[in-house]
Amino acid sequence: MMHGLCMTTVVMSECSSAMMSSMRVTVEGTGFSLRPAQGILIPPNAVHSYDTPASSEYYTILFSQSLMPSFSGLFVHKRPERYVFPVDEPLSRQLREFYGAERTVWGAKALLYRMAEAFLRGNGFQSAPEADAELTRRIITYI
């Protein structure tokens, strides 16, 4: 559980879920109000920040692309229509249990796939042609 303002760029993907109170999350310049029973997925390399009151309770999972390669591939040249997704009671319970127990890679992967399923169930993707230009810029910079 973290409090205050945190701003970062993640090479890995990140999934957060508000549990007890609301918080403000900004992803790529767009602000979202995350309420209890909602999660947010932050794709790789997305600039984002959290603004959380001291009373916030939320869980965040950072995961590398190698843990869920098929899921990470969804973001190539595409952007989700919404970053926020519903977190039902069974998934909330699984999050609490995961953080209260000895964690394993298998438990983390199972939880991530449940969160990915919740994200994909209510979401679509938009083409992001600027992603092609960004990739080209990175390649030229590297060369």
Side-chain angles (χ1 to χ4, degrees):
M1 183 166 36
M2 299 177 351
H3 305 291
L5 183 62
C6 175
M7 186 167 174
T8 184
T9 300
V10 176
V11 175
M12 300 186 294
S13 294
E14 185 172 325
C15 230
S16 294
S17 178
M19 302 305 278
M20 299 297 287
S21 61
S22 296
M23 58 194 244
R24 185 96 175 131
V25 182
T26 303
V27 180
E28 296 291 339
T30 303
F32 301 94
S33 180
L34 197 62
R35 297 182 310 276
Q38 288 186 317
I40 190 162
L41 183 113
I42 301 164
N45 300 315
V47 175
H48 63 286
S49 65
Y50 293 91
D51 187 6
T52 60
S55 62
S56 292
E57 178 185 351
Y58 66 97
Y59 298 108
T60 298
I61 301 172
L62 294 171
F63 59 98
S64 72
Q65 308 323 308
S66 62
L67 192 58
M68 292 179 59
S70 58
F71 183 70
S72 301
L74 293 172
F75 297 99
V76 176
H77 311 299
K78 293 181 276 183
R79 182 170 286 137
E81 291 172 355
R82 290 172 301 282
Y83 292 95
V84 177
F85 61 92
V87 175
D88 61 17
E89 184 52 40
L91 183 52
S92 290
R93 187 172 42 255
Q94 191 175 2
L95 273 164
R96 284 188 178 96
E97 289 170 0
F98 178 75
Y99 276 91
E102 184 177 326
R103 293 183 278 286
T104 66
V105 171
W106 297 112
K109 197 166 189 173
L111 181 57
L112 285 170
Y113 273 100
R114 285 278 330 271
M115 292 183 88
E117 176 188 31
F119 172 77
L120 291 171
R121 195 176 318 128
N123 216 332
F125 289 86
Q126 300 172 344
S127 177
E130 67 274 5
D132 293 329
E134 175 63 16
L135 179 59
T136 303
R137 186 191 65 72
R138 287 182 183 177
I139 291 169
I140 290 170
T141 302
Y142 180 75
I143 294 173

